[in-house]
């Protein structure tokens, strides 16, 4: 049987990645390269839609960009100077080809393709109403409600129909939309999910992260503002619309902690430098006497460097990661399953034996990875194993495009820090404080009213209403009440 790698299973899943090119030669080839750079944001499926001035062309596939979009015949079948693409890890909707994006539909105004990063938190309610009115859905993705809302809008122009649709949805979204009139890129009014704009010659490019610009040789221009729609017409005109008025940004703080690649830039700040600053702040708040600072690769590396530099404890690679294991491997039994853990990470015994070590990781989700890592260090002969986490305890689920486990499965929801320490069998365990995290990001502290970031996974302070979740809670309560009455 094939099963998910246990290390992958204990990470917050990257949301999705989107990339678009307007007025670029061999646009689909550029999009394919951009998606390669965004592969870390979604490894489940990938898709590209192009427009050749007359027709739309789409290729979607399960799996990675490599192997699906590195063949000449695939790119040749996606002609045109405009194209958009998507890499997916499902947060809403089943794992199947019908949910792979970009989603495409023929509307009264012509073709409409959309690539979405984020999660619509009232999608189920909107979907039920649309179905009641006669809409027929082809996928289980929350993104499809946008297409139906546009199709059924009573406004006259396509732009007004699109804005009308956006005003009926809640939650997080960064979108790239292709129509016969041009390309639209937009972010939700809080800017929870990222989206940036660049230039490559005469072409305008949009992407989830700046690293994708580096890969295709484009220049970074700016971030799309929260609540902004940027329209690129077929003749190259660029217009900005702000239909939501003044907004208060609450971008996802976990982009800085884990999701974005360290070589990306967010709001003019290097992700790598921020993660080093987080590690330094973690060392200030939670010092410990040890011989080595050791990162849990790869996401813990920048924070570990910062921790080592601040604490004066030498940085060493005490865990070696294999880069040649896929996301799945054969596990015919419990014994082999246990051995399979070391396919991805293995202890550097010659370094660790007899030493006091500080392990640095970006987060603890279920705790199973931390437990296995600590056990691996002890089996390699470590004298003491201390763990330091470069984010506050993850106590709450995310409903904005990150596939977190149910809250009851989050270790920090079930246990306090002492209980978590006992669970992973560490000599000590500590997390950066929420104010410390904000300080590393250049803020004095977390604002009590209207915080600077979306940090709901740590604080439970959700910046939008959660209509679908509230409906589920009410339904469960009614079912329990009915059972008691019976």
């Amino acid at each position: 049987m094939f099963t998910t790698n246990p290390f992958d299973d204990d990470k917050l899943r990257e949301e999705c990645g989107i990339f678009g090119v307007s007025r670029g030669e061999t646009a689909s080839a550029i999009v394919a390269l951009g998606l390669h750079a965004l592969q870390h944001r979604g490894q489940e499926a990938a898709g590209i839609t192009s427009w050749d001035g007359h027709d739309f062309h789409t290729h979607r596939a399960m799996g990675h960009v490599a192997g699906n979009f590195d063949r000449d015949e695939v790119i040749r079948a996606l002609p045109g100077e405009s194209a958009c693409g998507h890499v997916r890890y499902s947060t809403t909707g089943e794992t199947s080809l019908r949910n792979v994006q970009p989603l495409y539909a023929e509307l009264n105004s012509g073709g409409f393709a959309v690539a979405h990063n984020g999660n619509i938190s009232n999608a189920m309610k909107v979907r039920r109403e649309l179905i009641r009115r006669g809409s027929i859905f082809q996928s289980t993705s929350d993104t499809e409600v946008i297409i139906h809302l546009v199709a059924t809008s009573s406004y006259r122009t396509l732009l007004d129909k699109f804005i009308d649709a956006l005003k009926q949805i809640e939650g997080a979204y960064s979108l790239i939309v292709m129509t016969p009139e041009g390309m639209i890129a937009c972010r939700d009014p809080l800017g929870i999910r990222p989206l940036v704009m660049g230039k490559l010659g005469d072409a305008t490019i949009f992407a989830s992260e700046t690293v994708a610009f580096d890969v295709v040789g484009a220049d970074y221009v700016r971030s799309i503002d929260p609540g902004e729609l940027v329209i690129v017409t077929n003749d190259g005109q660029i217009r900005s619309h702000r239909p939501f008025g003044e907004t208060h940004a609450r971008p996802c703080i976990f982009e800085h902690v884990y999701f974005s690649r360290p070589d990306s830039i967010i709001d003019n700040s290097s992700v790598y430098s921020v993660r080093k600053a987080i590690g330094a702040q973690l060392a200030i708040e939670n010092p410990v006497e040890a011989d080595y600072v050791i990162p849990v690769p790869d996401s813990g590396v920048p924070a570990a460097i910062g921790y080592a530099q601040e604490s004066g404890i030498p940085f060493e690679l005490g865990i070696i990661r294999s880069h040649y294991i896929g996301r799945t491997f054969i596990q015919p039994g419990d014994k082999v399953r246990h051995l399979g853990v070391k396919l991805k990470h293995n202890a550097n015994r010659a370094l660790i034996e007899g030493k006091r070590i500080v392990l640095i990781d970006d987060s603890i989700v279920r705790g199973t990875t931390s437990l296995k890592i600590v056990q691996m260090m002890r089996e390699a002969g470590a004298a003491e194993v201390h763990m330091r986490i470069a984010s506050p305890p993850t106590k709450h689920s995310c409903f904005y495009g990150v596939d977190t486990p149910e809250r009851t499965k989050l270790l920090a929801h079930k246990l306090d820090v002492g209980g978590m320490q006992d669970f992973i069998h560490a000599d000590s365990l500590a997390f950066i404080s929420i104010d410390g995290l904000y300080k590393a990001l250049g803020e004095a502290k977390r604002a009590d009213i209207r915080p600077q970031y979306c940090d709901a996974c740590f604080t439970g302070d959700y910046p939008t209403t959660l209509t679908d979740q509230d409906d589920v809670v009410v339904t469960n309560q009614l079912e329990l009440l009915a059972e008691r009455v019976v």
Side-chain angles (χ1 to χ4, degrees):
M1 137 178 113
F2 288 89
T3 184
T4 304
N5 187 313
F7 283 99
D8 292 331
D9 190 44
D10 193 32
K11 284 290 185 183
L12 297 182
R13 302 286 190 173
E14 303 89 335
E15 322 93 279
C16 294
I18 58 177
F19 190 96
V21 176
S22 177
R23 301 182 74 246
E25 293 184 16
T26 61
S28 58
I30 298 172
V31 170
L33 288 174
L35 293 181
H36 271 287
L38 300 175
Q39 187 73 85
H40 60 287
R41 300 184 72 88
Q43 298 92 42
E44 185 178 274
I48 296 176
T49 296
S50 71
W51 186 67
D52 64 7
H54 300 282
D55 298 306
F56 286 85
H57 310 268
T58 296
H59 182 79
R60 301 182 297 166
M62 304 303 296
H64 290 186
V65 178
N68 286 314
F69 292 96
D70 54 0
R71 303 191 305 275
D72 288 341
E73 62 269 24
V74 173
I75 299 302
R76 284 198 301 269
L78 297 167
E81 293 187 347
S82 292
C84 68
H86 187 273
V87 287
R88 179 177 193 260
Y89 182 83
S90 59
T91 56
T92 297
E94 64 190 14
T95 301
S96 66
L97 189 60
R98 65 175 176 162
N99 286 331
V100 179
Q101 297 186 33
L103 297 183
Y104 175 78
E106 286 284 348
L107 307 184
N108 186 49
S109 56
F112 187 94
V114 58
H116 172 205
N117 171 210
N119 201 61
I120 299 170
S121 57
N122 66 334
M124 289 191 296
K125 182 177 181 179
V126 174
R127 184 187 181 100
R128 287 194 298 267
E129 176 60 23
L130 285 165
I131 291 173
R132 188 189 67 79
R133 287 157 41 188
S135 291
I136 301 173
F137 281 75
Q138 301 298 314
S139 76
T140 58
S141 169
D142 61 326
T143 309
E144 193 177 355
V145 303
I146 298 172
I147 296 176
H148 287 274
L149 288 172
V150 172
T152 58
S153 173
S154 59
Y155 282 83
R156 187 178 61 85
T157 69
L158 179 60
L159 178 59
D160 287 337
K161 289 175 182 289
F162 183 54
I163 292 172
D164 180 39
L166 296 183
K167 289 185 175 180
Q168 296 179 66
I169 60 177
E170 303 167 357
Y173 55 84
S174 284
L175 302 171
I176 297 176
V177 172
M178 289 174 55
T179 77
E181 298 177 13
M183 180 173 286
I184 306 172
C186 68
R187 291 174 78 187
D188 64 78
L190 297 177
I192 297 175
R193 301 266 67 88
L195 190 62
V196 291
M197 180 169 68
K199 293 289 289 185
L200 179 61
D202 293 331
T204 301
I205 300 182
F206 301 100
S208 293
E209 294 183 38
T210 61
V211 66
F213 296 159
D214 298 336
V215 170
V216 303
D219 295 321
Y220 168 71
V221 175
R222 65 178 179 89
S223 292
I224 305 302
D225 291 334
E228 182 186 16
L229 280 71
V230 175
I231 301 168
V232 184
T233 62
N234 293 327
D235 60 1
Q237 296 183 53
I238 300 175
R239 302 195 306 268
S240 174
H241 292 259
R242 300 175 187 270
F244 299 99
E246 185 178 353
T247 61
H248 175 73
R250 292 280 300 273
C252 173
I253 202 167
F254 222 88
E255 291 284 348
H256 294 277
V257 174
Y258 173 67
F259 291 134
S260 293
R261 266 181 47 165
D263 45 346
S264 282
I265 305 293
I266 300 178
D267 295 328
N268 299 317
S269 295
S270 158
V271 174
Y272 177 78
S273 296
V274 167
R275 288 179 186 166
K276 283 179 61 180
I278 292 172
Q281 184 63 29
L282 181 62
I284 293 170
E285 294 183 356
N286 301 289
V288 64
E289 292 186 4
D291 298 303
Y292 298 130
V293 173
I294 294 174
V296 176
D298 287 324
S299 56
V301 172
I305 294 173
Y307 193 101
Q309 290 176 347
E310 178 64 34
S311 66
I313 302 171
F315 171 94
E316 293 286 354
L317 296 179
I319 302 171
I320 306 303
R321 179 190 174 197
S322 169
H323 292 268
Y324 300 100
I325 179 175
R327 293 180 60 81
T328 59
F329 51 86
I330 298 172
Q331 297 182 336
D334 288 341
K335 183 176 181 180
V336 176
R337 182 179 298 112
H338 176 71
L339 294 175
V341 170
K342 295 185 178 181
L343 284 174
K344 190 166 187 179
H345 295 95
N346 192 41
N348 186 355
R349 179 181 292 272
L351 175 78
I352 291 168
E353 192 166 14
K355 302 299 183 181
R356 301 166 299 169
I357 63 171
V358 187
L359 292 172
I360 308 294
D361 205 355
D362 59 87
S363 61
I364 292 180
V365 184
R366 291 181 176 89
T368 52
T369 293
S370 300
L371 173 63
K372 290 180 173 69
I373 290 288
V374 171
Q375 180 182 357
M376 185 186 297
M377 296 297 98
R378 294 203 185 281
E379 290 174 352
E384 296 178 10
V385 183
H386 304 273
M387 195 146 203
R388 297 293 181 266
I389 306 299
S391 63
T394 305
K395 297 181 179 180
H396 306 272
S397 297
C398 175
F399 301 106
Y400 300 121
V402 181
D403 187 36
T404 51
E406 295 177 6
R407 189 181 178 193
T408 55
K409 295 181 180 179
L410 294 170
L411 191 65
H413 171 71
K414 298 184 289 186
L415 302 171
D416 61 14
V417 174
M420 296 174 74
Q421 176 182 321
D422 292 340
F423 178 84
I424 67 173
H425 303 310
D427 290 288
S428 71
L429 170 67
F431 297 77
I432 192 171
S433 67
I434 188 68
D435 283 340
L437 180 57
Y438 273 79
K439 186 174 182 180
L441 286 162
E443 306 288 347
K445 66 171 190 174
R446 181 184 190 270
D448 295 329
I449 301 174
R450 301 174 76 182
Q452 304 92 320
Y453 292 92
C454 176
D455 54 21
C457 53
F458 307 133
T459 65
D461 180 9
Y462 295 97
T464 73
T465 53
L466 301 173
T467 299
D468 290 343
Q469 295 302 314
D470 293 341
D471 287 350
V472 169
V473 170
V474 170
T475 300
N476 291 341
Q477 290 174 340
L478 290 174
E479 289 175 351
L480 287 172
L481 181 60
E483 290 175 1
R484 290 172 184 167
V485 170
V486 173

